[in-house]
């Protein structure tokens, strides 16, 4: 019977036999592997990329028709002009103390963002596209300020296994023909480029879907607000800081 299983199914079966700590380590290894395999376009990497992607999708904790790509894209009704202006004002304040983190600057929450992170309006939006997802209460402002900053292909940690990503600001200097963008990377090696406008929101299963942001150019600026969600009933210690 085992011989008929794919490598992705075998990895998922292995996950079921492990302790919670070991499961977390395996998920980390799979996530790192996905990030490394995405940019490798060699034919020899295709089988490995598909196996890792299949295992992650089998382990997806959410009941959705397709864990790949976006589950939602648009501007939700609760995101009024006034609320968007509040986020923009808050990101300016948070940005003063944002700290370098990987290839961007990180600012943790703020009064407005933290309130919305646990609001019924945001919960209802998420529930309408991904049932049984629960807010972690974690909101983060991400700032891309320095030329070359971006995020390489990766899988998010469990605290953002479901990511609600809101574009707040994208300053594009004259002469930049292809601005920085969010990318979804698929098991077959194809990619989807997503150029988001300020106020636009996307929801995707960041814990299973490989994604990245291409580097910003000189003079370009990108500011994003993200909200983390976890599976309903998951052990909080696994998802909260």
């Amino acid at each position: 019977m085992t011989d008929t299983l794919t490598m992705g199914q075998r990895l998922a079966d292995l996950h079921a036999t492990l302790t919670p700590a070991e499961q977390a380590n395996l998920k980390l290894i799979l996530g790192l592997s996905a990030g490394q395999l995405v940019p490798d376009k060699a034919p020899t990497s295709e089988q490995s990329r598909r196996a890792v992607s299949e295992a992650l999708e089998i382990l997806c904790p959410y009941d959705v028709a397709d864990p790949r790509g976006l589950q939602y894209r648009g501007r939700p009704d609760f995101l009024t002009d006034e609320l968007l202006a509040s986020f923009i004002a808050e990101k300016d304040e948070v940005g003063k103390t944002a700290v370098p983190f990987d290839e961007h600057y990180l600012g943790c929450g703020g009064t407005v963002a933290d309130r919305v992170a646990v609001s019924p309006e945001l919960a209802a939006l998420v529930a309408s596209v991904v049932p049984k997802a629960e807010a972690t209460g974690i909101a983060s402002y991400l700032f891309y300020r320095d030329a070359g900053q971006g995020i390489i292909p990766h899988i998010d940690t469990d605290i953002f296994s479901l990511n609600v990503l809101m574009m707040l600001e994208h300053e594009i200097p004259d002469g930049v023909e292809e601005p920085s963008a969010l990318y979804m990377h698929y098991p077959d090696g194809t990619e989807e480029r997503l150029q988001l406008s300020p106020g636009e929101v996307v929801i995707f299963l960041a814990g299973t879907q490989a994604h990245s942001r291409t580097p910003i150019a000189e003079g370009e600026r990108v500011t994003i607000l993200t909200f983390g969600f976890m599976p309903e009933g998951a052990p909080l210690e696994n998802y909260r800081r």
Side-chain angles (χ1 to χ4, degrees):
M1 178 66 177
T2 303
D3 292 340
T4 65
L5 298 179
T6 65
M7 181 58 69
Q9 290 169 330
R10 292 182 185 182
L11 288 168
D13 284 352
L14 171 63
H15 182 273
T17 69
L18 304 177
T19 66
E22 291 170 336
Q23 289 176 341
N25 286 333
L26 177 58
K27 176 69 184 302
L28 176 61
I29 291 170
L30 289 172
L32 292 172
S33 298
Q36 291 296 317
L37 289 166
V38 162
D40 185 355
K41 302 301 183 184
T44 52
S45 72
E46 182 176 354
Q47 183 177 3
S48 298
R49 184 170 57 243
R50 288 182 181 275
V52 169
S53 297
E54 181 185 16
L56 287 168
E57 289 170 8
I58 292 173
L59 296 174
C60 176
Y62 301 102
D63 184 14
V64 294
D66 185 354
R68 300 179 186 179
L70 298 183
Q71 305 298 316
Y72 170 89
R73 180 178 183 177
R75 180 163 174 173
D77 292 339
F78 75 81
L79 185 56
T80 62
D81 289 344
E82 291 76 15
L83 179 57
L84 181 60
S86 296
F87 285 138
I88 291 172
E90 184 168 80
K91 64 90 177 167
D92 288 339
E93 190 63 29
V94 172
K96 296 175 183 178
T97 56
V99 298
F101 186 83
D102 292 336
E103 292 301 315
H104 59 279
Y105 294 89
L106 174 65
C108 296
T111 303
V112 181
D114 287 346
R115 173 176 56 80
V116 173
V118 294
S119 67
E121 292 82 7
L122 180 59
L125 171 65
V126 171
S128 71
V129 292
V130 182
K132 298 184 178 181
E134 180 179 343
T136 64
I138 302 297
S140 300
Y141 287 97
L142 309 182
F143 303 88
Y144 300 86
R145 300 169 173 167
D146 304 334
Q149 286 190 324
I151 296 184
I152 63 174
H154 68 288
I155 299 291
D156 281 2
T157 59
D158 283 347
I159 201 168
F160 280 90
S161 65
L162 186 152
N163 196 341
V164 179
L165 185 154
M166 182 186 300
M167 175 63 71
L168 293 182
E169 174 186 58
H170 193 169
E171 298 179 12
I172 305 172
D174 293 338
V176 174
E177 296 182 358
E178 189 168 289
S180 172
L182 175 67
Y183 272 76
M184 299 287 139
H185 303 276
Y186 300 114
D188 62 0
T190 59
E191 302 170 331
E192 181 179 5
R193 186 176 190 275
L194 301 164
Q195 189 74 57
L196 304 179
S197 302
E200 196 167 13
V201 172
V202 294
I203 298 175
F204 60 101
L205 305 185
T208 52
Q209 170 63 62
H211 56 286
S212 66
R213 170 158 292 278
T214 51
I216 64 172
E218 186 70 42
E220 189 175 8
R221 299 287 186 273
V222 174
T223 307
I224 290 167
L225 175 58
T226 63
F227 302 97
F229 278 72
M230 62 185 180
E232 186 180 75
L236 297 185
E237 62 270 18
N238 290 354
Y239 292 87
R240 296 193 189 278
R241 296 179 190 176

